[in-house]
Structures are given as structure tokens and as C-alpha cells.
């Protein structure tokens, strides 16, 4: 694998999930692969899980890992072309990415969307510039429109914990006070549509995701109907795709609580990519109950990242 930016970069999704679960059993069996190889993780935005799990995944494979919070610790980066750099930016992404490619065998990049200009965000200009200029394999650590390492870990978690061959999985929109990206739900939908699951997306009117990511999913505005007898409920907020980045008020009752879960989906396991705002997106009574598998899910981020990095090292 030379690029991991979406599920479309994966030849065999089932095999990658199986590989992640094997690595979980035997994390240090492939340390020779990463010997004298450098993984650079470049963050333009904050991170807890992605940063630590990917760092650990690289170390498990014997790699040297460098983390750069370029938004705070690097020179102020110019991302636009055809600019006279007489403002506050000090270094252009063209030189910065090229130089980081000189020091690295694999690069990971996190770059969130601006949520102002849909065309710009959905053309993935920043992520694609890294890919173009660094000239080494690149892993997305969440780009403007997708979070594939998260979705792979989510699928690994579902495979690991499912109690029937084709579980019912529901992506359920949750309230928030801020405009959040569509990257996590886009990506989750895209991966679930390629997995052996019965997949439904539930959101209030106005939160339709781009059809490019949801082809094959059942989509409804009726949350109770959607989550009925679900095996896995994936809770996540996102802002509107149209008008882009909008937050539509009045949907606070989309936050799940135990009473509603017990009534319609008593056996559901509840997932969230984290970070989660308690009692705004998801009730603390669910998060503190055995129904919640969010910490287990976050733990699986290591094995997802390790499976991807292993396939990249094998192709170097
Ligand atoms: C980000 C998002 O929703 O895309 C990162 C999630 C992994 N979340 C927030 O900004 C709170
Ligand atoms: N889920 C996730 O990607 O978390 P971080 O933003 O903390 O990396």
C-alpha cells in the first residue's frame, strides 16, 4: 500500500481487518520490517488517540517515530499557491512537505476542513499537497472529508464483538454546540457500505451526507425506528453538508439515554470515535455503563494503524 486515504485504497478490506486482529494477538512479530525506517506524524490540528495509537503502532513495528505538531511547533505554513508570502506565513507547504519526505519513509498527516468552502474541503487540497510533494507513502490521520484509520478500527471492533454474522449497525447523529466535520461519518458510512453489516444512517432533516459516501445505506430521519434492535449504535455529530458547515438548532432530543436504549435496542453496544462531550452528544449514564465500548474501540486504533503501516512497510 502506497496511500491510505480512504477505503478505496484498500485491496481487501476483510484481510486488513483480519491482519489488525492478528497483530493484536502478536504485536511485536514484525519488528524487522520497521528497522531503520522513520515514520513522521504531522498534525495541523489537535489529537489524542490518533497521535498516540499511531506512534505506538510504528514503535511496535520497530520504526523510529517523529511527531510534529506543525500548527504549534513548525513555521507558520502557507497552504495556498500563487501567493506573495508577505503576510504571516513563513514557509510554503511545497518546501515543508518535500523536506519532511527527505527525513521519512512514511508520513502521516492530520488536516481538518475549514468548513467554509465546500469545494476546497472536498477536493482535499491540503492532504493532496502533502501526498504530491513529500514523495513517500502517506497515511491519513483524518483529512477534510475522511478518517480512515478510525473507520478501520471501528470495523475491527465490530468484527471482534459481533454476536451474529451480519450485525445491524446504525450511525446515529448526535447534538453538539459546534460545527464539526463530516469526515468521521463520511468515512464510517463508506467502510460500512463495504462490510458485511446491515447498515442504517439516522439524522435529523438537513444533515444529509454527500451521497458519494452513503451509497448502499438505509437513511432515515426516524431515530427510534433506525436503532430498533441494533447491535451497534455509532454516535457522532456532524455539521450540514448543505448549507455547508451549518448547525441546525432544535435537535437536542437526538442525544441517546438509557431509557430510550432499553426500550428499543436493549442489546446495542454504543460506539463513538471520541472525544465526546458528555450529556450533550451522549449521556454519561450510557458512557459509564457496560453498553459503551468507546474505550475498547479507541484501544483498537493501535491495531488498525499497525495493519496499515505493516502493509506500507512491506511495499517500500
Ligand atoms: C473531530 C471531528 O469530529 O472530526 C475529530 C474526531 C476524531 N472532533 C472534534 O473536533 C470534536
Ligand atoms: N478519534 C480520534 O481520532 O481522536 P483524536 O482526535 O484524539 O486523535
Amino acid at each position: 500500500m502506497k496511500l491510505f486515504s480512504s477505503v478505496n485504497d484498500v485491496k481487501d478490506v476483510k484481510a486488513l481487518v483480519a491482519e489488525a486482529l492478528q497483530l493484536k494477538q502478536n504485536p511485536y512479530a514484525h519488528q524487522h520490517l520497521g528497522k531503520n525506517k522513520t515514520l513522521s506524524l504531522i498534525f495541523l490540528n489537535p489529537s489524542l488517540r490518533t497521535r498516540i495509537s499511531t506512534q505506538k503502532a510504528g514503535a511496535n513495528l520497530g520504526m523510529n517515530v517523529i511527531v510534529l505538531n506543525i500548527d504549534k511547533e513548525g513555521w507558520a505554513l502557507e497552504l495556498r499557491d500563487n501567493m506573495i508570502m508577505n503576510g504571516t506565513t513563513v514557509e510554503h507547504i511545497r518546501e515543508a512537505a518535500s523536506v519532511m519526505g527527505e527525513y521519512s519513509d512514511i508520513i502521516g498527516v492530520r488536516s481538518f476542513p475549514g468548513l467554509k468552502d465546500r469545494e476546497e474541503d472536498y477536493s482535499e487540497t491540503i492532504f493532496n499537497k502533502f501526498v504530491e510533494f513529500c514523495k513517500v507513502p502517506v497515511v491519513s490521520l483524518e483529512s477534510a472529508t475522511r478518517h480512515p484509520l478510525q473507520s478501520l478500527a471501528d470495523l475491527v471492533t465490530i468484527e471482534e464483538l459481533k454476536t451474529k454474522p451480519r450485525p445491524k449497525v446504525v450511525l446515529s447523529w448526535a447534538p453538539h454546540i459546534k460545527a464539526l466535520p463530516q469526515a468521521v461519518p463520511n468515512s464510517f458510512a463508506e467502510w460500512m457500505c463495504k462490510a458485511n453489516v446491515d447498515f442504517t444512517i439516522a439524522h435529523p432533516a438537513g444533515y444529509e451526507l454527500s451521497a458519494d459516501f452513503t451509497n448502499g445505506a438505509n437513511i432515515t430521519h426516524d431515530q427510534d425506528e433506525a436503532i430498533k434492535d441494533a447491535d451497534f449504535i455509532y454516535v457522532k455529530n456532524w455539521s450540514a453538508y448543505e448549507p455547508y458547515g451549518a448547525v441546525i438548532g432544535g435537535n437536542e432530543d437526538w442525544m441517546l439515554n438509557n431509557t430510550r436504549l432499553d426500550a428499543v435496542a436493549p442489546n446495542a453496544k454504543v460506539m463513538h470515535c471520541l472525544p465526546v462531550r458528555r450529556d450533550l452528544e451522549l449521556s454519561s449514564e450510557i458512557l459509564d455503563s457496560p453498553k459503551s465500548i468507546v474505550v475498547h474501540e479507541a484501544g483498537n486504533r493501535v491495531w488498525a494503524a499497525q495493519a496499515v503501516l505493516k502493509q506500507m512497510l512491506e511495499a517500500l
Side-chain angles (χ1 to χ4, degrees):
M1 203 190 300
K2 297 269 182 220
L3 175 69
F4 185 72
S5 65
S6 88
V7 73
N8 305 317
D9 296 322
V10 180
K11 262 205 215 96
D12 185 340
V13 172
K14 221 174 147 184
L16 190 61
V17 169
E19 175 125 65
L21 287 168
Q22 267 164 24
L23 289 165
K24 186 168 184 171
Q25 296 310 315
N26 203 356
Y28 313 114
H30 307 280
Q31 293 226 322
H32 58 284
L33 277 176
K35 188 171 185 315
N36 298 331
K37 299 280 189 277
T38 299
L39 170 66
S40 297
L41 304 175
I42 316 294
F43 289 87
L44 285 81
N45 307 95
S47 170
L48 186 156
R49 281 142 290 272
T50 306
R51 175 185 170 141
I52 300 180
S53 63
T54 313
Q55 191 166 2
K56 186 172 155 92
N60 286 352
L61 290 164
M63 301 185 82
N64 304 315
V65 188
I66 295 169
V67 178
L68 178 62
N69 300 309
I70 203 166
D71 57 328
K72 298 185 191 73
E73 297 155 356
W75 297 108
L77 211 54
E78 181 57 61
L79 303 166
R80 298 162 297 180
D81 277 328
N82 305 317
M83 291 288 298
I84 298 171
M85 285 172 55
N86 60 359
T88 51
T89 56
V90 180
E91 170 152 47
H92 201 278
I93 190 170
R94 286 175 176 259
E95 282 76 45
S98 305
V99 169
M100 288 186 286
E102 292 285 311
Y103 306 145
S104 316
D105 298 282
I106 299 176
I107 286 183
V109 179
R110 165 164 286 198
S111 152
F112 286 173
L115 291 177
K116 301 261 182 298
D117 180 339
R118 186 168 83 186
E119 204 181 319
E120 186 181 313
D121 288 348
Y122 273 72
S123 61
E124 291 286 5
T125 41
I126 299 175
F127 182 81
N128 288 339
K129 280 193 174 131
F130 270 97
V131 174
E132 181 183 353
F133 298 122
C134 78
K135 297 192 171 61
V136 297
V138 177
V139 183
S140 166
L141 304 175
E142 186 174 344
S143 68
T145 65
R146 291 178 170 99
H147 194 357
L149 281 180
Q150 178 67 50
S151 310
L152 173 57
D154 298 334
L155 183 54
V156 166
T157 306
I158 290 168
E159 278 301 316
E160 198 183 18
L161 301 180
K162 71 183 184 185
T163 53
K164 56 177 78 135
R166 191 177 161 81
K168 178 171 178 182
V169 177
V170 182
L171 168 61
S172 184
W173 184 91
H176 206 284
I177 47 161
K178 277 180 59 189
L180 297 194
Q182 294 111 29
V184 170
N186 280 346
S187 208
F188 185 72
E190 198 171 50
W191 283 72
M192 288 305 122
C193 289
K194 290 214 169 181
N196 186 24
V197 300
D198 169 7
F199 181 51
T200 298
I201 304 172
H203 59 71
Y207 284 104
E208 284 70 19
L209 294 165
S210 160
D212 291 346
F213 301 87
T214 59
N215 201 1
N218 311 305
I219 303 173
T220 173
H221 296 161
D222 184 336
Q223 191 184 32
D224 278 340
E225 176 60 30
I227 65 173
K228 192 172 176 323
D229 298 326
D231 298 297
F232 296 92
I233 303 176
Y234 195 92
V235 175
K236 182 73 182 90
N237 168 266
W238 63 89
S239 61
Y241 182 68
E242 175 70 61
Y244 189 58
V247 176
I248 308 154
N251 295 303
E252 292 74 17
D253 58 346
W254 276 70
M255 187 187 78
L256 291 173
N257 58 35
N258 265 343
T259 315
R260 289 182 58 205
L261 269 194
D262 288 342
V264 288
N267 299 318
K269 296 177 175 68
V270 178
M271 304 175 72
H272 190 290
C273 64
L274 305 180
V276 67
R277 290 194 183 221
R278 286 177 162 246
D279 297 313
L280 178 74
E281 286 179 85
L282 189 52
S283 64
S284 30
E285 60 179 16
I286 291 181
L287 283 164
D288 295 333
S289 79
K291 291 184 198 307
S292 167
I293 56 168
V294 298
V295 173
H296 184 95
E297 177 187 357
N300 280 338
R301 292 290 307 273
V302 176
W303 319 115
Q306 199 170 328
V308 169
L309 292 173
K310 176 172 178 277
Q311 292 202 356
M312 282 192 165
L313 286 169
E314 283 165 344
L316 280 183

